[in-house]
Amino acid sequence: LLLGVPSFTTFVRNSEIRSTSESIINGLRAATTEAANRNQKVTFELASAAGADWTFWTFDDDGVTKKTIQSYSKKEAGPNTKITIKPAGMTSVTFNGFGRVDIDPATPDNHIRQIDIDSVVAGEARPLRIIVDDPNPPAAGKPRGLRMCDPDPALAALVPPDPRAC
């Protein structure tokens, strides 16, 4: 029993990170789909720069009142996870009627570009990363747009490249 406990706790931490990551990326994908279906802007918003609670919404017909479409509480999957957002302090991203990130040319960093998900408990958990909007899109043939990946530099250095790597 003592030999199995450390690997089990690592498994639990990794499961929480994976569940939280999947909920966020699924929320982002649902927001892009909803924006395209409605042909109007939809905003995906994290409750805070440190929490994984999220909601996405659009404005009601009056143009002032927020109309929540879907929401999620991190208590559902990963209470021991933490997130780090880049650029720091950004908590939302808006998708236009085509389902793409709505970028203001005057302030291109005014939205979430990357979300790192890790465990608040020290240990051997493997963090994950969500790329929302890559300012330096990858070369041809590489995935673009919303994607979840593993930020471990060892994966990126493998030959041939590992598809899980960022």
Side-chain angles (χ1 to χ4, degrees):
L1 182 64
L2 291 175
L3 295 174
V5 170
S7 62
F8 180 73
T9 56
T10 300
F11 169 78
V12 170
R13 286 188 203 118
N14 286 335
S15 295
E16 286 184 336
I17 291 170
R18 183 78 180 178
S19 295
T20 300
S21 301
E22 287 178 353
S23 83
I24 292 172
I25 198 153
N26 288 339
L28 286 161
R29 287 181 178 142
T32 62
T33 302
E34 197 66 33
N37 287 343
R38 292 173 182 254
N39 194 23
Q40 69 183 57
K41 292 181 180 181
V42 171
T43 300
F44 176 92
E45 184 173 30
L46 291 162
S48 70
D53 298 346
W54 57 260
T55 185
F56 65 86
W57 49 269
T58 188
F59 284 111
D60 212 347
D61 293 336
D62 62 8
V64 178
T65 309
K66 288 182 182 179
K67 181 178 173 184
T68 300
I69 301 169
Q70 189 174 342
S71 62
Y72 168 84
S73 171
K74 88 172 195 174
K75 292 175 187 173
E76 294 177 37
N80 293 316
T81 56
K82 67 177 180 177
I83 64 170
T84 307
I85 302 169
K86 290 184 184 175
M90 294 294 122
T91 57
S92 66
V93 59
T94 300
F95 299 99
N96 63 24
F98 295 112
R100 297 184 181 206
V101 176
D102 190 36
I103 299 173
D104 180 4
T107 55
D109 283 338
N110 68 342
H111 62 280
I112 299 170
R113 287 191 179 270
Q114 176 180 301
I115 304 168
D116 289 329
I117 300 97
D118 203 353
S119 178
V120 295
V121 181
E124 298 178 13
R126 294 193 61 167
L128 290 173
R129 176 173 292 158
I130 297 172
I131 307 292
V132 178
D133 178 33
D134 197 343
N136 305 308
K142 298 280 185 168
R144 301 179 67 97
L146 286 174
R147 66 187 187 278
M148 186 167 47
C149 57
D150 189 331
D152 185 358
L155 284 177
L158 291 176
V159 177
D162 191 312
R164 297 173 296 166
C166 291

